[in-house]
Amino acid sequence: MSSSFCDSDCQTNGCKRKVHSYEARYVWTITDFNVHETKGVRLDSPPFSSVKNNQIKWCLELRPNGNTDAKDSVSLYIYLSKLSSLEKNKKIFAQTTLLVLDSVNDKKIEKSLEIKEYPHPDIDNSGWGYSEFIKKDENFRNKLLSNNTLTICCEVKFSDMRCFCDSGIELPECDLSENFAALIKDHTFTDVVLSVNGKEYPVHKAVLAARSPVFYAMFKHSTKENELNRVDIEDVDEAVVEEMLIYIYTGKCEVPDALAEELFVAADKYDLGRLKIMCVQKLIEGLSVENATNVVILADMHHHEDLKREAIKFMVTNFAKVLNTVGWKNMLLSNPQLVTEVCQVVSLQL
């Protein structure tokens, strides 16, 4: 029997509904706030999405002088900036928390406002938020507007619902990722071993080659690894390799905070583009006064301009604190060129 997709408001007896849930988080740092106030123009954040669903993209809109009826406030809205043609046939529900941070380093929540669950309207009229998100009073100027920089964190938990009509036979959910996850522990049909610090991981050439251009080239040609069916990995720890294998086999990875830097390096080494972006997102979210210099150096070594830019921006915002860290002192000795780049950006802010 066949199935066909229908409108999300379908009320027929054969209508089935499937719901998938996602989370997206974005930290928006707005520098030179007083300049934007003077200009009086609205600001739009870059689009952001869930790692699990990049077909639904969100965006923040900030009006530094509020709306016509709220000129003494900052207005803030979230809206859908992009839907694929497939996603437009779905109904989307979201619960959003908008936070103003009084310090990116301490991540203390000064104000939290929550948008209740809602269905999305047409893409051209898809904004929700507050015309009086936060009052521009003395507390705002002295505490929230640190170094003339406003930092906003947006957390979106959203679901999509799609209806379909059929003749009684429901198509099961695809369990491909679960099947492949089982292959990591079930060593049936393995044909190559990854050796890491004496620990061996029996894996499959075809899977590794399909996911990584580096492994593809390694197993396609007459390399030592291909002939011996063994790959010795000396520069990556076991825990990192295990997380990398989970990603290779399933496309999923939680990216533990403690492993974000090492996993970023491994993803770069084996050309795992999506995993690399996951690590970049985790590293940006976890930027602190203590680790910012390490992240800048890491981004520079691996030529990731987005990560480097965000890390430098964080350092500039917290420059007085960064100057007192061991990381900055080490960077003065080992990476004077990076120090110059950071100082140049600082000078532009003066």
Side-chain angles (χ1 to χ4, degrees):
M1 299 182 181
S2 60
S3 300
S4 60
F5 289 110
C6 63
D7 182 84
S8 58
D9 294 324
C10 176
Q11 300 295 322
T12 63
N13 293 331
C15 180
K16 306 285 185 180
R17 293 184 174 184
K18 290 187 180 295
V19 178
H20 300 280
S21 299
Y22 311 95
E23 292 185 13
R25 186 174 184 273
Y26 181 70
V27 177
W28 190 16
T29 303
I30 303 168
T31 58
D32 298 324
F33 186 82
N34 61 340
V35 175
H36 299 301
E37 275 188 300
T38 302
K39 292 181 178 179
V41 296
R42 81 174 198 182
L43 304 174
D44 293 304
S45 75
F48 59 94
S49 62
S50 165
V51 172
K52 295 182 179 179
N53 186 343
N54 61 6
Q55 299 301 308
I56 300 176
K57 294 188 181 295
W58 304 87
C59 195
L60 296 176
E61 174 191 310
L62 182 138
R63 300 181 184 181
N65 295 322
N67 292 331
T68 304
D69 57 346
K71 292 185 177 181
D72 60 343
S73 300
V74 174
S75 300
L76 184 64
Y77 302 91
I78 179 173
Y79 60 92
L80 287 163
S81 64
K82 178 184 177 183
L83 292 175
S84 68
S85 57
L86 176 62
E87 304 296 336
K88 286 183 179 179
N89 293 325
K90 296 182 178 181
K91 201 164 189 176
I92 299 170
F93 300 86
Q95 193 170 31
T96 306
T97 301
L98 300 169
L99 315 173
V100 177
L101 308 184
D102 68 353
S103 169
V104 178
N105 179 40
D106 296 328
K107 294 193 175 180
K108 294 177 181 177
I109 299 173
E110 175 68 21
K111 185 163 186 173
S112 173
L113 293 174
E114 191 171 6
I115 300 175
K116 299 301 182 181
E117 190 173 87
Y118 51 76
H120 82 84
D122 294 335
I123 191 68
D124 293 331
N125 185 28
S126 53
W128 305 266
Y130 302 89
S131 60
E132 296 180 298
F133 178 64
I134 189 165
K135 291 283 188 181
K136 293 195 293 184
D137 53 19
E138 183 176 350
N139 180 64
F140 173 78
R141 298 290 179 188
N142 296 337
K143 188 175 182 182
L144 298 184
L145 203 59
S146 176
N147 295 323
N148 199 28
T149 298
L150 182 64
T151 304
I152 294 171
C153 177
C154 176
E155 297 176 347
V156 188
K157 295 182 179 180
F158 61 102
S159 304
D160 61 50
M161 179 178 68
R162 188 161 187 174
C163 299
F164 63 94
C165 295
D166 65 15
S167 52
I169 300 177
E170 183 175 353
L171 183 68
E173 290 286 347
C174 178
D175 55 1
L176 181 65
S177 63
E178 288 79 6
N179 294 153
F180 272 78
L183 286 177
I184 301 175
K185 297 180 179 180
D186 181 0
H187 300 158
T188 305
F189 307 123
T190 58
D191 51 5
V192 66
V193 170
L194 301 185
S195 177
V196 186
N197 297 327
K199 187 171 182 179
E200 296 187 342
Y201 298 88
V203 288
H204 307 79
K205 287 183 180 180
V207 176
L208 268 60
R211 300 285 283 155
S212 163
V214 175
F215 282 122
Y216 178 87
M218 184 185 295
F219 299 139
K220 181 179 175 62
H221 301 100
S222 298
T223 62
K224 178 183 70 174
E225 291 83 359
N226 196 22
E227 293 174 359
L228 297 178
N229 296 322
R230 180 184 182 86
V231 181
D232 292 313
I233 301 177
E234 300 177 352
D235 54 353
V236 183
D237 289 339
E238 299 99 302
V240 177
V241 169
E242 289 170 8
E243 292 292 339
M244 184 178 73
L245 286 175
I246 291 173
Y247 171 79
I248 287 175
Y249 275 79
T250 69
K252 302 175 182 178
C253 183
E254 294 299 326
V255 187
D257 292 334
L259 299 179
E261 291 187 19
E262 295 176 81
L263 198 55
F264 170 82
V265 174
D268 186 51
K269 176 181 178 180
Y270 293 103
D271 199 5
L272 301 168
R274 190 166 183 269
L275 177 60
K276 191 174 177 181
I277 293 175
M278 291 179 181
C279 295
V280 167
Q281 291 178 335
K282 178 67 70 171
L283 289 168
I284 292 175
E285 290 176 5
L287 280 170
S288 68
V289 169
E290 288 72 24
N291 71 13
T293 50
N294 289 338
V295 175
V296 168
I297 293 171
L298 185 71
D300 185 66
M301 289 177 58
H302 294 272
H303 310 291
H304 201 289
E305 292 303 317
D306 290 337
L307 179 58
K308 182 178 177 180
R309 182 183 62 252
E310 291 299 320
I312 289 179
K313 184 189 299 184
F314 179 90
M315 291 176 66
V316 171
T317 302
N318 300 274
F319 195 57
K321 295 179 181 179
V322 171
L323 286 177
N324 294 320
T325 63
V326 175
W328 176 260
K329 295 174 183 177
N330 290 336
M331 195 165 75
L332 283 171
L333 299 174
S334 61
N335 292 275
Q337 179 59 40
L338 277 179
V339 172
T340 301
E341 288 187 48
V342 174
C343 290
Q344 286 175 341
V345 178
V346 171
S347 66
L348 293 175
Q349 305 297 318
L350 298 178

mmCIF file of all heavy atoms in Angstrom, residues 209-250:
data_model
loop_
_atom_site.group_PDB
_atom_site.id
_atom_site.type_symbol
_atom_site.label_atom_id
_atom_site.label_comp_id
_atom_site.label_asym_id
_atom_site.label_seq_id
_atom_site.Cartn_x
_atom_site.Cartn_y
_atom_site.Cartn_z
ATOM 1 N N ALA A 209 36.352 4.797 4.412
ATOM 2 C CA ALA A 209 36.624 5.422 3.120
ATOM 3 C C ALA A 209 35.433 6.241 2.626
ATOM 4 O O ALA A 209 35.605 7.286 1.989
ATOM 5 C CB ALA A 209 36.986 4.356 2.092
ATOM 6 N N ALA A 210 34.224 5.770 2.929
ATOM 7 C CA ALA A 210 33.029 6.493 2.488
ATOM 8 C C ALA A 210 32.863 7.812 3.230
ATOM 9 O O ALA A 210 32.313 8.772 2.694
ATOM 10 C CB ALA A 210 31.793 5.619 2.695
ATOM 11 N N ARG A 211 33.370 7.872 4.454
ATOM 12 C CA ARG A 211 33.159 9.047 5.293
ATOM 13 C C ARG A 211 34.324 10.031 5.276
ATOM 14 O O ARG A 211 34.146 11.213 5.509
ATOM 15 C CB ARG A 211 32.909 8.593 6.736
ATOM 16 C CG ARG A 211 31.696 7.687 6.901
ATOM 17 C CD ARG A 211 30.418 8.463 6.815
ATOM 18 N NE ARG A 211 30.199 9.179 8.062
ATOM 19 C CZ ARG A 211 29.490 10.273 8.182
ATOM 20 N NH1 ARG A 211 28.956 10.816 7.114
ATOM 21 N NH2 ARG A 211 29.316 10.845 9.364
ATOM 22 N N SER A 212 35.526 9.530 5.019
ATOM 23 C CA SER A 212 36.716 10.391 5.104
ATOM 24 C C SER A 212 37.539 10.321 3.823
ATOM 25 O O SER A 212 38.015 9.246 3.445
ATOM 26 C CB SER A 212 37.584 9.954 6.287
ATOM 27 O OG SER A 212 38.896 10.481 6.187
ATOM 28 N N PRO A 213 37.738 11.442 3.147
ATOM 29 C CA PRO A 213 38.590 11.457 1.952
ATOM 30 C C PRO A 213 40.011 10.988 2.247
ATOM 31 O O PRO A 213 40.677 10.418 1.378
ATOM 32 C CB PRO A 213 38.569 12.926 1.531
ATOM 33 C CG PRO A 213 37.313 13.476 2.098
ATOM 34 C CD PRO A 213 37.112 12.758 3.396
ATOM 35 N N VAL A 214 40.478 11.208 3.472
ATOM 36 C CA VAL A 214 41.826 10.779 3.842
ATOM 37 C C VAL A 214 41.908 9.262 3.894
ATOM 38 O O VAL A 214 42.845 8.648 3.349
ATOM 39 C CB VAL A 214 42.232 11.387 5.198
ATOM 40 C CG1 VAL A 214 43.591 10.849 5.649
ATOM 41 C CG2 VAL A 214 42.278 12.909 5.100
ATOM 42 N N PHE A 215 40.943 8.632 4.531
ATOM 43 C CA PHE A 215 40.927 7.173 4.570
ATOM 44 C C PHE A 215 40.674 6.595 3.175
ATOM 45 O O PHE A 215 41.202 5.539 2.822
ATOM 46 C CB PHE A 215 39.859 6.674 5.547
ATOM 47 C CG PHE A 215 40.269 6.756 6.993
ATOM 48 C CD1 PHE A 215 39.522 7.483 7.907
ATOM 49 C CD2 PHE A 215 41.411 6.105 7.448
ATOM 50 C CE1 PHE A 215 39.898 7.567 9.237
ATOM 51 C CE2 PHE A 215 41.802 6.175 8.780
ATOM 52 C CZ PHE A 215 41.041 6.911 9.679
ATOM 53 N N TYR A 216 39.867 7.290 2.389
ATOM 54 C CA TYR A 216 39.603 6.827 1.018
ATOM 55 C C TYR A 216 40.899 6.736 0.222
ATOM 56 O O TYR A 216 41.181 5.734 -0.443
ATOM 57 C CB TYR A 216 38.624 7.782 0.332
ATOM 58 C CG TYR A 216 38.327 7.415 -1.110
ATOM 59 C CD1 TYR A 216 37.305 6.521 -1.429
ATOM 60 C CD2 TYR A 216 39.073 7.968 -2.159
ATOM 61 C CE1 TYR A 216 37.033 6.181 -2.754
ATOM 62 C CE2 TYR A 216 38.812 7.634 -3.473
ATOM 63 C CZ TYR A 216 37.795 6.745 -3.765
ATOM 64 O OH TYR A 216 37.542 6.414 -5.072
ATOM 65 N N ALA A 217 41.693 7.802 0.287
ATOM 66 C CA ALA A 217 42.969 7.802 -0.431
ATOM 67 C C ALA A 217 43.922 6.748 0.123
ATOM 68 O O ALA A 217 44.653 6.086 -0.627
ATOM 69 C CB ALA A 217 43.603 9.190 -0.335
ATOM 70 N N MET A 218 43.887 6.569 1.437
ATOM 71 C CA MET A 218 44.768 5.597 2.086
ATOM 72 C C MET A 218 44.475 4.168 1.617
ATOM 73 O O MET A 218 45.393 3.379 1.352
ATOM 74 C CB MET A 218 44.594 5.696 3.605
ATOM 75 C CG MET A 218 45.509 4.808 4.419
ATOM 76 S SD MET A 218 45.121 4.907 6.186
ATOM 77 C CE MET A 218 45.519 6.618 6.535
ATOM 78 N N PHE A 219 43.188 3.837 1.495
ATOM 79 C CA PHE A 219 42.799 2.466 1.155
ATOM 80 C C PHE A 219 42.660 2.242 -0.352
ATOM 81 O O PHE A 219 42.543 1.097 -0.801
ATOM 82 C CB PHE A 219 41.494 2.098 1.861
ATOM 83 C CG PHE A 219 41.576 2.145 3.363
ATOM 84 C CD1 PHE A 219 40.546 2.674 4.115
ATOM 85 C CD2 PHE A 219 42.707 1.682 4.019
ATOM 86 C CE1 PHE A 219 40.627 2.733 5.503
ATOM 87 C CE2 PHE A 219 42.804 1.729 5.407
ATOM 88 C CZ PHE A 219 41.760 2.260 6.146
ATOM 89 N N LYS A 220 42.669 3.306 -1.114
ATOM 90 C CA LYS A 220 42.548 3.176 -2.568
ATOM 91 C C LYS A 220 43.885 2.841 -3.216
ATOM 92 O O LYS A 220 43.939 2.170 -4.252
ATOM 93 C CB LYS A 220 41.989 4.476 -3.162
ATOM 94 C CG LYS A 220 41.803 4.452 -4.678
ATOM 95 C CD LYS A 220 41.224 5.761 -5.160
ATOM 96 C CE LYS A 220 41.148 5.818 -6.687
ATOM 97 N NZ LYS A 220 40.256 4.773 -7.236
ATOM 98 N N HIS A 221 44.969 3.288 -2.591
ATOM 99 C CA HIS A 221 46.289 3.119 -3.179
ATOM 100 C C HIS A 221 47.118 2.087 -2.421
ATOM 101 O O HIS A 221 46.706 1.583 -1.370
ATOM 102 C CB HIS A 221 47.014 4.471 -3.215
ATOM 103 C CG HIS A 221 46.284 5.513 -3.992
ATOM 104 N ND1 HIS A 221 45.500 6.494 -3.396
ATOM 105 C CD2 HIS A 221 46.186 5.733 -5.327
ATOM 106 C CE1 HIS A 221 44.979 7.262 -4.320
ATOM 107 N NE2 HIS A 221 45.374 6.826 -5.506
ATOM 108 N N SER A 222 48.252 1.770 -2.952
ATOM 109 C CA SER A 222 49.117 0.744 -2.353
ATOM 110 C C SER A 222 49.936 1.332 -1.210
ATOM 111 O O SER A 222 51.161 1.458 -1.276
ATOM 112 C CB SER A 222 50.050 0.157 -3.430
ATOM 113 O OG SER A 222 49.312 -0.465 -4.451
ATOM 114 N N THR A 223 49.260 1.688 -0.156
ATOM 115 C CA THR A 223 49.928 2.235 1.013
ATOM 116 C C THR A 223 50.272 1.106 1.989
ATOM 117 O O THR A 223 49.732 -0.002 1.908
ATOM 118 C CB THR A 223 49.026 3.251 1.724
ATOM 119 O OG1 THR A 223 47.832 2.581 2.169
ATOM 120 C CG2 THR A 223 48.646 4.387 0.782
ATOM 121 N N LYS A 224 51.136 1.427 2.911
ATOM 122 C CA LYS A 224 51.499 0.437 3.942
ATOM 123 C C LYS A 224 50.263 0.040 4.743
ATOM 124 O O LYS A 224 50.056 -1.137 5.063
ATOM 125 C CB LYS A 224 52.558 1.033 4.872
ATOM 126 C CG LYS A 224 52.976 0.121 6.014
ATOM 127 C CD LYS A 224 53.962 0.792 6.940
ATOM 128 C CE LYS A 224 53.289 1.891 7.737
ATOM 129 N NZ LYS A 224 54.176 2.482 8.764
ATOM 130 N N GLU A 225 49.430 1.022 5.058
ATOM 131 C CA GLU A 225 48.229 0.755 5.848
ATOM 132 C C GLU A 225 47.270 -0.172 5.109
ATOM 133 O O GLU A 225 46.658 -1.067 5.715
ATOM 134 C CB GLU A 225 47.508 2.073 6.171
ATOM 135 C CG GLU A 225 48.255 2.976 7.138
ATOM 136 C CD GLU A 225 49.305 3.835 6.476
ATOM 137 O OE1 GLU A 225 49.472 3.723 5.234
ATOM 138 O OE2 GLU A 225 49.947 4.623 7.191
ATOM 139 N N ASN A 226 47.167 0.019 3.797
ATOM 140 C CA ASN A 226 46.253 -0.811 3.014
ATOM 141 C C ASN A 226 46.770 -2.237 2.875
ATOM 142 O O ASN A 226 45.997 -3.205 2.896
ATOM 143 C CB ASN A 226 46.054 -0.182 1.631
ATOM 144 C CG ASN A 226 44.843 -0.737 0.911
ATOM 145 O OD1 ASN A 226 43.924 -1.261 1.539
ATOM 146 N ND2 ASN A 226 44.833 -0.617 -0.407
ATOM 147 N N GLU A 227 48.066 -2.375 2.758
ATOM 148 C CA GLU A 227 48.652 -3.708 2.600
ATOM 149 C C GLU A 227 48.655 -4.490 3.910
ATOM 150 O O GLU A 227 48.412 -5.706 3.923
ATOM 151 C CB GLU A 227 50.068 -3.578 2.056
ATOM 152 C CG GLU A 227 50.129 -3.037 0.627
ATOM 153 C CD GLU A 227 51.560 -2.785 0.169
ATOM 154 O OE1 GLU A 227 52.487 -3.023 0.985
ATOM 155 O OE2 GLU A 227 51.735 -2.356 -0.984
ATOM 156 N N LEU A 228 48.910 -3.804 5.012
ATOM 157 C CA LEU A 228 48.957 -4.470 6.316
ATOM 158 C C LEU A 228 47.594 -4.529 7.001
ATOM 159 O O LEU A 228 47.439 -5.200 8.022
ATOM 160 C CB LEU A 228 49.947 -3.748 7.235
ATOM 161 C CG LEU A 228 51.409 -3.730 6.800
ATOM 162 C CD1 LEU A 228 52.243 -2.927 7.801
ATOM 163 C CD2 LEU A 228 51.950 -5.157 6.665
ATOM 164 N N ASN A 229 46.609 -3.809 6.434
ATOM 165 C CA ASN A 229 45.285 -3.721 7.060
ATOM 166 C C ASN A 229 45.397 -3.214 8.500
ATOM 167 O O ASN A 229 44.736 -3.710 9.424
ATOM 168 C CB ASN A 229 44.566 -5.075 7.026
ATOM 169 C CG ASN A 229 44.272 -5.527 5.618
ATOM 170 O OD1 ASN A 229 43.929 -4.710 4.755
ATOM 171 N ND2 ASN A 229 44.423 -6.813 5.358
ATOM 172 N N ARG A 230 46.227 -2.216 8.666
ATOM 173 C CA ARG A 230 46.489 -1.676 9.996
ATOM 174 C C ARG A 230 46.889 -0.197 9.863
ATOM 175 O O ARG A 230 47.749 0.152 9.061
ATOM 176 C CB ARG A 230 47.611 -2.456 10.675
ATOM 177 C CG ARG A 230 47.971 -1.977 12.078
ATOM 178 C CD ARG A 230 49.163 -2.740 12.621
ATOM 179 N NE ARG A 230 49.487 -2.333 13.975
ATOM 180 C CZ ARG A 230 48.928 -2.845 15.063
ATOM 181 N NH1 ARG A 230 48.021 -3.818 14.939
ATOM 182 N NH2 ARG A 230 49.275 -2.430 16.266
ATOM 183 N N VAL A 231 46.257 0.636 10.683
ATOM 184 C CA VAL A 231 46.567 2.063 10.694
ATOM 185 C C VAL A 231 47.034 2.431 12.099
ATOM 186 O O VAL A 231 46.281 2.312 13.066
ATOM 187 C CB VAL A 231 45.336 2.917 10.319
ATOM 188 C CG1 VAL A 231 45.699 4.408 10.327
ATOM 189 C CG2 VAL A 231 44.782 2.507 8.960
ATOM 190 N N ASP A 232 48.282 2.821 12.220
ATOM 191 C CA ASP A 232 48.827 3.247 13.506
ATOM 192 C C ASP A 232 48.611 4.747 13.674
ATOM 193 O O ASP A 232 49.105 5.550 12.886
ATOM 194 C CB ASP A 232 50.322 2.924 13.590
ATOM 195 C CG ASP A 232 50.585 1.427 13.633
ATOM 196 O OD1 ASP A 232 49.907 0.730 14.410
ATOM 197 O OD2 ASP A 232 51.452 0.954 12.865
ATOM 198 N N ILE A 233 47.867 5.114 14.709
ATOM 199 C CA ILE A 233 47.578 6.521 14.991
ATOM 200 C C ILE A 233 48.321 6.903 16.263
ATOM 201 O O ILE A 233 48.009 6.422 17.348
ATOM 202 C CB ILE A 233 46.061 6.745 15.154
ATOM 203 C CG1 ILE A 233 45.324 6.328 13.869
ATOM 204 C CG2 ILE A 233 45.768 8.205 15.493
ATOM 205 C CD1 ILE A 233 43.825 6.445 13.954
ATOM 206 N N GLU A 234 49.304 7.761 16.119
ATOM 207 C CA GLU A 234 50.171 8.095 17.249
ATOM 208 C C GLU A 234 49.906 9.469 17.848
ATOM 209 O O GLU A 234 50.395 9.774 18.936
ATOM 210 C CB GLU A 234 51.637 8.016 16.803
ATOM 211 C CG GLU A 234 52.051 6.632 16.297
ATOM 212 C CD GLU A 234 53.477 6.605 15.792
ATOM 213 O OE1 GLU A 234 54.072 7.702 15.692
ATOM 214 O OE2 GLU A 234 53.989 5.507 15.508
ATOM 215 N N ASP A 235 49.147 10.296 17.146
ATOM 216 C CA ASP A 235 48.970 11.671 17.604
ATOM 217 C C ASP A 235 47.551 11.980 18.072
ATOM 218 O O ASP A 235 47.172 13.129 18.235
ATOM 219 C CB ASP A 235 49.357 12.644 16.488
ATOM 220 C CG ASP A 235 48.610 12.358 15.194
ATOM 221 O OD1 ASP A 235 47.902 11.333 15.127
ATOM 222 O OD2 ASP A 235 48.745 13.146 14.240
ATOM 223 N N VAL A 236 46.744 10.933 18.293
ATOM 224 C CA VAL A 236 45.370 11.118 18.751
ATOM 225 C C VAL A 236 45.105 10.140 19.890
ATOM 226 O O VAL A 236 45.444 8.957 19.784
ATOM 227 C CB VAL A 236 44.351 10.882 17.614
ATOM 228 C CG1 VAL A 236 42.936 11.163 18.114
ATOM 229 C CG2 VAL A 236 44.672 11.746 16.403
ATOM 230 N N ASP A 237 44.500 10.603 20.983
ATOM 231 C CA ASP A 237 44.215 9.746 22.131
ATOM 232 C C ASP A 237 43.048 8.812 21.853
ATOM 233 O O ASP A 237 42.219 9.061 20.964
ATOM 234 C CB ASP A 237 43.894 10.604 23.360
ATOM 235 C CG ASP A 237 45.122 11.324 23.890
ATOM 236 O OD1 ASP A 237 46.243 10.882 23.586
ATOM 237 O OD2 ASP A 237 44.949 12.333 24.603
ATOM 238 N N GLU A 238 42.964 7.749 22.667
ATOM 239 C CA GLU A 238 41.903 6.754 22.476
ATOM 240 C C GLU A 238 40.506 7.364 22.567
ATOM 241 O O GLU A 238 39.629 7.061 21.756
ATOM 242 C CB GLU A 238 42.007 5.630 23.530
ATOM 243 C CG GLU A 238 43.309 4.859 23.484
ATOM 244 C CD GLU A 238 44.286 5.346 24.531
ATOM 245 O OE1 GLU A 238 44.623 6.538 24.520
ATOM 246 O OE2 GLU A 238 44.704 4.514 25.367
ATOM 247 N N ALA A 239 40.285 8.219 23.583
ATOM 248 C CA ALA A 239 38.949 8.796 23.769
ATOM 249 C C ALA A 239 38.521 9.609 22.557
ATOM 250 O O ALA A 239 37.345 9.603 22.164
ATOM 251 C CB ALA A 239 38.933 9.672 25.026
ATOM 252 N N VAL A 240 39.471 10.290 21.941
ATOM 253 C CA VAL A 240 39.168 11.102 20.753
ATOM 254 C C VAL A 240 38.846 10.202 19.567
ATOM 255 O O VAL A 240 37.896 10.454 18.816
ATOM 256 C CB VAL A 240 40.348 12.038 20.426
ATOM 257 C CG1 VAL A 240 40.075 12.826 19.149
ATOM 258 C CG2 VAL A 240 40.611 12.983 21.581
ATOM 259 N N VAL A 241 39.621 9.130 19.393
ATOM 260 C CA VAL A 241 39.372 8.190 18.300
ATOM 261 C C VAL A 241 38.003 7.541 18.466
ATOM 262 O O VAL A 241 37.266 7.351 17.492
ATOM 263 C CB VAL A 241 40.476 7.118 18.238
ATOM 264 C CG1 VAL A 241 40.089 5.994 17.285
ATOM 265 C CG2 VAL A 241 41.797 7.747 17.793
ATOM 266 N N GLU A 242 37.635 7.212 19.689
ATOM 267 C CA GLU A 242 36.327 6.590 19.926
ATOM 268 C C GLU A 242 35.191 7.522 19.547
ATOM 269 O O GLU A 242 34.207 7.101 18.929
ATOM 270 C CB GLU A 242 36.231 6.158 21.392
ATOM 271 C CG GLU A 242 37.125 4.970 21.727
ATOM 272 C CD GLU A 242 37.217 4.687 23.214
ATOM 273 O OE1 GLU A 242 36.460 5.327 23.978
ATOM 274 O OE2 GLU A 242 38.038 3.827 23.610
ATOM 275 N N GLU A 243 35.312 8.809 19.917
ATOM 276 C CA GLU A 243 34.280 9.783 19.524
ATOM 277 C C GLU A 243 34.261 9.956 18.011
ATOM 278 O O GLU A 243 33.194 10.079 17.399
ATOM 279 C CB GLU A 243 34.540 11.134 20.202
ATOM 280 C CG GLU A 243 34.340 11.136 21.702
ATOM 281 C CD GLU A 243 32.890 10.947 22.103
ATOM 282 O OE1 GLU A 243 31.999 11.207 21.272
ATOM 283 O OE2 GLU A 243 32.647 10.543 23.245
ATOM 284 N N MET A 244 35.433 9.964 17.395
ATOM 285 C CA MET A 244 35.520 10.117 15.949
ATOM 286 C C MET A 244 34.866 8.942 15.241
ATOM 287 O O MET A 244 34.164 9.108 14.233
ATOM 288 C CB MET A 244 36.982 10.248 15.528
ATOM 289 C CG MET A 244 37.185 10.519 14.044
ATOM 290 S SD MET A 244 38.921 10.722 13.595
ATOM 291 C CE MET A 244 39.507 9.017 13.719
ATOM 292 N N LEU A 245 35.057 7.734 15.752
ATOM 293 C CA LEU A 245 34.453 6.552 15.138
ATOM 294 C C LEU A 245 32.933 6.577 15.271
ATOM 295 O O LEU A 245 32.218 6.176 14.346
ATOM 296 C CB LEU A 245 35.014 5.288 15.772
ATOM 297 C CG LEU A 245 36.448 4.921 15.364
ATOM 298 C CD1 LEU A 245 36.931 3.706 16.149
ATOM 299 C CD2 LEU A 245 36.524 4.643 13.862
ATOM 300 N N ILE A 246 32.444 7.049 16.411
ATOM 301 C CA ILE A 246 30.991 7.173 16.572
ATOM 302 C C ILE A 246 30.433 8.099 15.502
ATOM 303 O O ILE A 246 29.409 7.813 14.867
ATOM 304 C CB ILE A 246 30.642 7.695 17.985
ATOM 305 C CG1 ILE A 246 30.962 6.630 19.037
ATOM 306 C CG2 ILE A 246 29.160 8.090 18.061
ATOM 307 C CD1 ILE A 246 30.807 7.119 20.461
ATOM 308 N N TYR A 247 31.129 9.207 15.265
ATOM 309 C CA TYR A 247 30.683 10.131 14.223
ATOM 310 C C TYR A 247 30.768 9.487 12.837
ATOM 311 O O TYR A 247 29.841 9.596 12.028
ATOM 312 C CB TYR A 247 31.510 11.412 14.237
ATOM 313 C CG TYR A 247 31.215 12.280 13.041
ATOM 314 C CD1 TYR A 247 30.077 13.076 12.998
ATOM 315 C CD2 TYR A 247 32.044 12.253 11.914
ATOM 316 C CE1 TYR A 247 29.776 13.840 11.888
ATOM 317 C CE2 TYR A 247 31.752 13.016 10.799
ATOM 318 C CZ TYR A 247 30.614 13.802 10.788
ATOM 319 O OH TYR A 247 30.306 14.531 9.676
ATOM 320 N N ILE A 248 31.867 8.819 12.544
ATOM 321 C CA ILE A 248 32.055 8.209 11.226
ATOM 322 C C ILE A 248 30.961 7.190 10.936
ATOM 323 O O ILE A 248 30.419 7.137 9.827
ATOM 324 C CB ILE A 248 33.445 7.559 11.125
ATOM 325 C CG1 ILE A 248 34.529 8.641 11.005
ATOM 326 C CG2 ILE A 248 33.532 6.599 9.938
ATOM 327 C CD1 ILE A 248 35.936 8.100 11.016
ATOM 328 N N TYR A 249 30.605 6.402 11.924
ATOM 329 C CA TYR A 249 29.622 5.339 11.708
ATOM 330 C C TYR A 249 28.172 5.819 11.798
ATOM 331 O O TYR A 249 27.286 5.222 11.180
ATOM 332 C CB TYR A 249 29.851 4.216 12.719
ATOM 333 C CG TYR A 249 30.897 3.208 12.290
ATOM 334 C CD1 TYR A 249 32.254 3.487 12.408
ATOM 335 C CD2 TYR A 249 30.527 1.981 11.741
ATOM 336 C CE1 TYR A 249 33.222 2.582 12.000
ATOM 337 C CE2 TYR A 249 31.484 1.062 11.338
ATOM 338 C CZ TYR A 249 32.828 1.364 11.465
ATOM 339 O OH TYR A 249 33.783 0.459 11.048
ATOM 340 N N THR A 250 27.913 6.865 12.562
ATOM 341 C CA THR A 250 26.515 7.264 12.782
ATOM 342 C C THR A 250 26.183 8.676 12.325
ATOM 343 O O THR A 250 25.007 9.025 12.195
ATOM 344 C CB THR A 250 26.157 7.167 14.279
ATOM 345 O OG1 THR A 250 26.866 8.194 15.002
ATOM 346 C CG2 THR A 250 26.528 5.812 14.843
#
